[in-house]
């Protein structure tokens, strides 16, 4: 495998009680690109993300991340290796403030021990200050400062999505998995979110794999599109290639049998 | 894995936060000075013995349960069971380790309670919510039974009770009401400070993340099961020390029955009424729970002209508590502390209501 590829999905199959969600799926994600997963509802896109960060265990196939074969991925292990993700339906900590939500994303960098934190010893205080500074950076980057100390549960949906993006971003992931980051947003919010995703990709060099239904957004944002239908890959290439692919058109518009 | 986190760009000013903190610190300092200077000012021992000492110990127990239930989201109805562990362990240490100073005995009692709490926290990896609550209920009954069944724990006393062999520190006798009050107060102040550090640390945030959504917590890299067990242990450490203080600083003589399920419910009521996930809330809840009976007693005597049936009063108390619990759960799940904060906010804005 070449170093240009950060992630390789090889022959992954996943089924739930006999129902195939993903069958024999293979594709690669190049380092530094934004790869979009598209496909009709139930095509297996979210299931695939759940396989990638270890929420689901595939029946067969293998994942290669950063030239290392991942076996029996656990979500925790995936996070430690630098795979961050957001969820389709927000999975934020609703009773905590925006900044505290972001800070939880830094847990894997925590080095000070229990007693150090309980007694407020210097190392713990230094670490807390470092974490705070990092959180302020992310708040600024995602323009979330006005809501810094607001309880997340009381925020508008679009803002919550942005907080969730921040919580994944704060840990400096190498691969960022975004499950419908723009679902339920209006055009203005979508433009904003697209801009943030493009900024993250360009300025921080983070590789992004995202699921999106809005074809217009996908075409504007990513250079690489993978199309799924009934758990199979039906298209893989640049947006123009994919749009011209008859199988993709069939998947979206239906076809005459 | 490295500790260094790639940087984006920083701009950060914390001056206003510091100012606000300074005012709070002053207020807190004043309150503490008053609390420590209180015994000679009071004159009578009644306030210390009957109100302030139980109030302090119940606050500490509430704090312990709140760390587990209010901050980590693991409901427990076994609080008194862990208090019993702390009481009997501290007793055993004072009795069987000659020359062990009181603070170390308390610390040891707390640590033993923490170990037992950790053990009973193991099921939390697999069991959630209501079913986990049932395992804590089992812990309550099991621990109560152990301390009644095996005479070794109460040193084969025919009465089945334990009482502190000695309450002294560096030669000072702490067995007086003022001494016991200061002992309880010192423990409460120290442990409240530690709890304050904890809930604002990364550990505390991890607990709260698990409370709010444990699946998401796992995905972002928090070892959920370990932190749940840790919360059980820390909570039990607090409850253990509260149990020891309940037995020796308040009751003087205690038995397994002093830590029955009613005590567990009492601690749970304290955090529901005071405020889940709030440190100050425990003190409000404990004050409410320890002052309401006294208030009812006085009110009853005043209303009935001196003739009051204590049995009736106790029933009335239960009715009022029950109604309040329901009211708080429905109307204000965040408890008295939220009501107080809302009030403070309204007072601050009062002249400018529009």
């Amino acid at each position: 495998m070449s170093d240009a590829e950060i992630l390789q999905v090889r022959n992954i199959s996943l089924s739930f009680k006999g129902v195939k969600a993903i069958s024999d799926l293979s594709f690669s994600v190049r380092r530094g690109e934004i790869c979009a997963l598209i496909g009709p509802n139930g095509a297996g896109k979210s299931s695939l993300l759940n396989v990638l960060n270890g929420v689901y265990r595939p029946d067969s196939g293998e994942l290669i991340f950063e030239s290392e074969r991942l076996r029996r991925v656990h979500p925790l292990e995936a996070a430690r290796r630098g795979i961050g993700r957001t969820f389709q339906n927000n999975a934020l900590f609703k009773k905590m403030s925006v900044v505290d939500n972001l800070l939880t994303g830094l847990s894997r960098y925590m080095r000070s021990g229990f007693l150090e934190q309980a007694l407020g010893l210097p190392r713990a205080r230094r670490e807390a200050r470092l974490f705070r500074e990092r959180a302020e950076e992310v708040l600024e980057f995602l323009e979330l400062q006005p809501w810094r100390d607001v309880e997340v549960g009381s925020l508008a949906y679009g803002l919550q999505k942005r907080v969730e993006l921040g919580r994944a971003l704060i840990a400096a992931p190498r691969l960022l998995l975004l499950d419908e980051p723009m679902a339920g947003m209006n055009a203005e919010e979508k433009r904003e979110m697209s801009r943030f995703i493009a900024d993250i990709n360009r300025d921080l060099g983070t590789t992004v794999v995202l699921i999106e239904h809005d074809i217009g957004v996908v075409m504007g944002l990513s250079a690489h599109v993978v199309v799924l239908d009934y758990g199979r890959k039906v298209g893989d290439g640049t947006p123009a290639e994919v749009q011209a692919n008859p199988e993709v058109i069939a998947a979206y518009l239906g076809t005459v049998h | 894995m490295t500790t260094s986190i790639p940087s984006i760009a920083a701009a950060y000013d914390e001056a206003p936060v510091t100012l606000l903190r300074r005012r709070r610190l002053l207020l807190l300092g004043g309150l503490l000075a008053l609390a420590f200077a209180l015994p000679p000012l009071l004159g009578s021992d009644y306030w210390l013995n009957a109100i302030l000492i139980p109030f302090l110990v119940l606050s500490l127990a509430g704090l312990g349960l709140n760390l587990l239930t209010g901050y980590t989201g693991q409901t427990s109805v076994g609080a008194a069971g862990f208090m019993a562990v702390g009481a009997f362990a501290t007793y055993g240490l004072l009795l069987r380790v000659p020359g062990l100073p009181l603070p170390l005995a308390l610390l040891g009692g707390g640590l033993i309670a923490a170990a037992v709490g950790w053990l009973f926290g193991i099921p939390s990896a697999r069991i959630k919510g209501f079913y986990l609550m049932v395992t804590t209920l089992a812990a309550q009954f099991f621990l109560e039974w152990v301390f009644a069944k095996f005479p070794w724990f109460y040193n084969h006393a025919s009465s089945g009770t334990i009482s502190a062999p000695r309450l002294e520190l560096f030669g000072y006798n702490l067995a007086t009401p003022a001494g016991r009050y200061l002992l309880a107060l010192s423990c409460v102040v120290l442990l409240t400070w530690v709890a304050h550090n904890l809930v604002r640390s990364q550990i505390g945030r991890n607990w709260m993340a698990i409370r709010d959504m444990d699946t998401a917590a796992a995905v972002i890299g928090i070892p959920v099961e370990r932190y749940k067990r840790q919360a059980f242990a820390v909570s039990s450490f607090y409850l253990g020390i509260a149990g020891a203080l309940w037995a020796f600083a308040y009751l003087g003589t205690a038995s397994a029955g002093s830590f029955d399920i009613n005590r567990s419910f009492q601690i749970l009521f304290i955090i529901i009424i005071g405020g889940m996930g709030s440190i100050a809330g425990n003190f409000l809840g404990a004050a409410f729970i320890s002052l309401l009976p006294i208030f009812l007693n006085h009110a009853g005597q005043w209303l009935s002209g001196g003739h009051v049936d204590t049995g009736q009063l106790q029933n009335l108390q239960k009715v009022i508590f029950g109604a309040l619990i329901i009211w708080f759960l429905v109307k204000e799940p965040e408890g008295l502390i939220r009501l107080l904060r809302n009030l403070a906010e309204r007072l601050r804005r009062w002249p400018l209501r529009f």
Side-chain angles (χ1 to χ4, degrees):
Chain A
M1 161 183 174
S2 76
D3 196 45
E5 285 166 346
I6 190 167
L7 175 77
Q8 277 194 349
V9 176
R10 283 190 191 157
N11 309 104
I12 291 283
S13 292
L14 173 76
S15 60
F16 299 107
K17 291 181 180 147
V19 180
K20 282 249 169 197
I22 300 172
S23 38
D24 202 26
L25 181 71
S26 303
F27 69 95
S28 329
V29 178
R30 276 197 310 282
R31 189 181 304 279
E33 75 173 358
I34 297 180
C35 171
L37 292 174
I38 65 170
N41 283 326
K45 306 183 297 292
S46 289
S47 299
L48 177 62
L49 284 203
N50 280 332
V51 167
L52 292 184
N53 83 323
V55 176
Y56 294 157
R57 186 159 300 153
D59 305 335
S60 60
E62 57 181 19
L63 296 172
I64 292 161
F65 177 65
E66 293 283 19
S67 309
E68 264 182 82
R69 183 151 176 254
L70 300 184
R71 312 177 56 161
R72 299 173 66 87
V73 206
H74 186 271
L76 226 92
E77 174 67 15
R80 287 206 185 107
R81 283 172 183 266
I83 301 179
R85 84 165 280 186
T86 68
F87 291 84
Q88 185 172 357
N89 305 308
N90 291 352
L92 286 164
F93 309 125
K94 292 222 156 58
K95 286 184 151 185
M96 298 167 69
S97 69
V98 169
V99 68
D100 278 341
N101 263 277
L102 296 187
L103 285 166
T104 58
L106 285 174
S107 274
R108 72 186 176 95
Y109 289 103
M110 188 176 94
R111 289 298 171 277
S112 59
F114 177 81
L115 278 181
E116 285 174 304
Q117 297 191 42
L119 303 177
L121 297 185
R123 189 159 85 130
R125 292 228 299 270
R126 217 166 33 237
E127 187 176 79
R129 200 166 49 239
L130 199 75
F131 281 11
R132 292 250 159 220
E133 282 165 12
R134 172 69 180 174
E136 296 303 327
E137 287 175 10
V138 173
L139 285 172
E140 188 180 306
F141 191 84
L142 294 178
E143 295 162 25
L144 279 167
Q145 289 127 321
W147 300 279
R148 186 180 189 285
D149 296 309
V150 179
E151 211 177 86
V152 156
S154 67
L155 286 181
Y157 184 72
L159 278 172
Q160 290 196 13
K161 288 243 149 193
R162 214 192 294 171
V163 177
E164 210 190 348
L165 179 63
R167 190 183 64 187
L169 186 65
I170 196 170
R174 284 185 279 190
L175 176 64
L176 192 53
L177 310 174
L178 307 176
D179 196 345
E180 299 202 25
M182 284 162 262
M185 288 185 171
N186 61 33
E188 169 65 26
E189 288 172 323
K190 279 185 184 177
R191 257 199 306 282
E192 240 178 358
M193 186 53 108
S194 299
R195 177 167 61 84
F196 286 124
I197 294 170
D199 283 353
I200 290 167
N201 177 250
R202 195 188 53 235
D203 298 349
L204 310 178
T206 311
T207 311
V208 179
V209 173
L210 62 87
I211 295 176
E212 186 46 54
H213 278 293
D214 189 323
I215 297 298
V217 170
V218 168
M219 300 306 168
L221 204 53
S222 55
H224 179 193
V225 181
V226 173
V227 192
L228 300 185
D229 189 25
Y230 292 111
R232 291 177 307 113
K233 184 168 87 172
V234 294
D236 188 347
T238 65
E241 281 166 14
V242 163
Q243 268 176 318
N245 183 331
E247 251 195 295
V248 174
I249 297 166
Y252 267 89
L253 303 176
T255 182
V256 184
H257 291 287
Chain B
M1 208 61 45
T2 59
T3 17
S4 71
I5 315 156
S7 177
I8 300 175
Y12 176 31
D13 185 55
E14 65 170 343
V17 186
T18 320
L19 248 171
L20 206 75
R21 262 190 217 141
R22 198 167 297 158
R23 235 171 63 188
R24 271 199 185 169
L25 272 179
L26 244 87
L27 192 76
L28 203 67
L31 210 67
L32 275 180
L34 184 71
F36 276 104
L38 205 53
L41 295 177
L42 278 173
S44 96
D45 289 342
Y46 169 78
W47 267 83
L48 291 180
N49 277 330
I51 298 167
L52 286 174
I53 294 176
F55 156 71
L56 283 172
V57 180
L58 288 174
S59 303
L60 186 62
L63 183 54
L65 184 63
N66 219 328
L67 290 176
L68 180 66
T69 303
Y71 283 96
T72 320
Q74 314 297 302
T75 312
S76 163
V77 289
F82 300 112
M83 288 174 77
V85 176
F88 281 85
T90 307
Y91 172 75
L93 285 170
L94 282 172
L95 186 78
R96 295 188 173 96
V97 185
L100 187 72
L102 185 62
L104 285 187
L106 278 173
L107 184 70
L111 287 175
I112 291 172
V116 174
W118 186 88
L119 215 61
F120 279 100
I122 291 175
S124 69
R126 298 286 156 135
I127 313 174
K128 282 186 194 176
F130 178 74
Y131 297 93
L132 183 67
M133 206 174 85
V134 174
T135 69
T136 63
L137 190 66
Q140 166 71 41
F141 284 115
F142 173 73
L143 292 169
E144 212 183 310
W145 172 79
V146 164
F147 293 120
K149 172 80 182 169
F150 299 101
W152 182 79
F153 287 112
Y154 47 84
N155 199 26
H156 306 276
S158 54
S159 57
T161 58
I162 53 171
S163 46
R166 55 179 192 278
L167 277 182
E168 54 166 34
L169 186 59
F170 308 129
Y172 288 101
N173 183 16
L174 290 178
T176 62
R180 286 182 284 117
Y181 167 78
L182 289 176
L183 172 68
L185 182 63
S186 310
C187 289
V188 168
V189 168
L190 196 69
L191 288 172
T192 304
W193 172 71
V194 169
H196 178 262
N197 283 344
L198 273 177
V199 300
R200 282 158 165 256
S201 71
Q202 194 69 18
I203 289 171
R205 275 189 291 272
N206 289 350
W207 285 345
M208 289 184 265
I210 290 167
R211 169 194 71 193
D212 284 358
M213 193 179 259
D214 56 357
T215 44
V219 169
I220 62 169
I222 298 172
V224 171
E225 291 159 18
R226 209 180 80 209
Y227 275 96
K228 281 184 184 172
R229 286 194 296 269
Q230 186 193 55
F232 265 94
V234 176
S235 162
S236 301
F237 177 81
Y238 275 74
L239 286 165
I241 288 180
L245 290 174
W246 187 254
F248 307 131
Y250 174 53
L251 294 176
T253 301
S255 67
S258 315
F259 303 101
D260 62 359
I261 183 98
N262 287 322
R263 182 78 50 225
S264 284
F265 283 134
Q266 190 185 26
I267 313 293
L268 191 63
F269 292 168
I270 286 174
I271 69 171
I272 292 174
I273 291 177
M276 294 268 206
S278 156
I279 287 182
N282 300 304
F283 293 91
L284 292 180
F288 189 85
I289 282 231
S290 40
L291 286 179
L292 185 72
I294 292 157
F295 169 78
L296 281 181
N297 196 7
H298 282 289
Q301 281 185 354
W302 179 73
L303 280 175
S304 62
H307 305 287
V308 98
D309 184 354
T310 28
Q312 295 280 30
L313 259 185
Q314 281 187 348
N315 281 338
L316 183 66
Q317 203 182 309
K318 281 180 186 151
V319 171
I320 290 179
F321 273 132
L324 272 173
I325 295 291
I326 293 171
W327 187 85
F328 270 107
L329 283 176
V330 174
K331 284 288 186 189
E332 194 48 88
E334 288 176 60
L336 282 172
I337 189 74
R338 167 60 58 194
L339 292 179
L340 203 69
R341 280 189 189 137
N342 291 349
L343 187 72
E345 188 66 14
R346 262 167 60 185
L347 281 179
R348 216 162 47 118
R349 291 185 185 169
W350 173 66
L352 308 160
R353 219 175 308 178
F354 308 102

